Amino acid sequence: MGLFCLAAPAARAQAVTAGPDSVRVQAGPTVADSLRRNQRLLGMRVTRPQKAVLLAAMLPGAGQVYNHKYWKLPLVYGALGGTVAAEVFYWQRYREFKRGVDARRNRQNGLTGPESVDTGTRSGVYTQDAAGDAQQFNALRFYRSNRDVFFAYIGLAYGAQILDALVDAHLYDFDVSDNLSLNVQPYALPVPGSPSFGLAFTFTPRTAAKSVVPRRF
């Protein structure tokens, strides 16, 4: 016959009645800290994860500051800044090559004048013939493709920092320290007629002041 004991914080209370193989447990409903609406934001009562998500959505990095994860700010702004910078770069190149392609098409359609001459700093280096037109069109497709890809990367970086703030808010009160103990010891059950033996497992969280009387089964 085995005996297991889990010492919980003050939120759960238990009592052992007299006599062998008897137990009476008194337990009230418990609510995780992450589900309690004990935070306020813009006049609303919200849970800690909800507040972290709303802050991160309104201002990237604010959720990490709220969760006291300051070391993640360089990662957040590095990811967002890098993707935004790349998006601006490819967008500018796309616009320049788009004007160059339009000018070459005007020339192919028989138009003359400034609107048929590619004067772009980079797009204008290609020769004004069929081979140059093909090269420039390929370059346009390259810049357009990367413009669209980095626009998606911005959305991913923005969503990732919101998700990170949400996870950290849920784990904010989770104890991951080394100050946890598990004690295993033999335990003799007072059974009339013949002795029985089992094991007692006592798990003591850091917040527990003392171990609770083991439950008997």
Side-chain angles (χ1 to χ4, degrees):
M1 181 178 298
L3 182 150
F4 299 86
C5 170
L6 177 62
R12 302 183 67 89
Q14 58 184 6
V16 180
T17 61
D21 298 336
S22 61
V23 62
R24 184 182 64 205
V25 178
Q26 297 176 350
T30 59
V31 179
D33 290 339
S34 60
L35 299 179
R36 294 174 181 167
R37 295 180 179 271
N38 54 6
Q39 305 292 322
R40 299 190 68 87
L41 180 64
L42 301 177
M44 301 181 298
R45 298 190 64 85
V46 295
T47 63
R48 185 177 187 89
Q50 289 174 340
K51 187 173 182 179
V53 167
L54 291 174
L55 288 174
M58 291 186 292
L59 178 63
Q64 283 69 29
V65 173
Y66 174 69
N67 292 325
H68 304 290
K69 300 292 185 178
Y70 306 107
W71 63 272
K72 292 185 177 181
L73 287 179
L75 301 178
V76 172
Y77 285 105
L80 287 173
T83 52
V84 169
E87 172 66 19
V88 172
F89 171 81
Y90 285 114
W91 177 259
Q92 292 175 343
R93 293 292 189 273
Y94 167 76
R95 293 183 61 185
E96 177 183 340
F97 278 80
K98 181 65 169 60
R99 289 192 297 266
V101 168
D102 291 341
R104 290 171 183 266
R105 286 175 177 172
N106 290 333
R107 176 177 52 80
Q108 293 172 357
N109 293 331
L111 298 178
T112 59
E115 65 274 9
S116 63
V117 179
D118 182 6
T119 58
T121 304
R122 299 166 187 85
S123 61
V125 299
Y126 299 103
T127 57
Q128 300 289 328
D129 53 21
D133 294 344
Q135 291 176 341
Q136 192 190 52
F137 185 73
N138 290 334
L140 174 65
R141 289 193 301 178
F142 170 79
Y143 289 121
R144 179 173 55 196
S145 175
N146 282 277
R147 179 204 61 179
D148 297 340
V149 167
F150 275 93
F151 186 78
Y153 286 164
I154 293 174
L156 289 176
Y158 177 77
Q161 61 93 24
I162 295 178
L163 180 61
D164 175 77
L166 173 64
V167 173
D168 281 340
H170 274 292
L171 299 179
Y172 184 78
D173 297 318
F174 188 74
D175 189 1
V176 294
S177 67
D178 297 331
N179 194 14
L180 300 173
S181 62
L182 177 65
N183 184 28
V184 181
Q185 59 183 2
Y187 192 85
L189 296 177
V191 179
S194 62
S196 299
F197 299 92
L199 291 177
F201 292 84
T202 303
F203 177 73
T204 306
R206 181 176 58 183
T207 56
K210 59 181 179 179
S211 300
V212 181
V213 178
R215 295 174 59 181
R216 301 178 181 180
F217 298 91

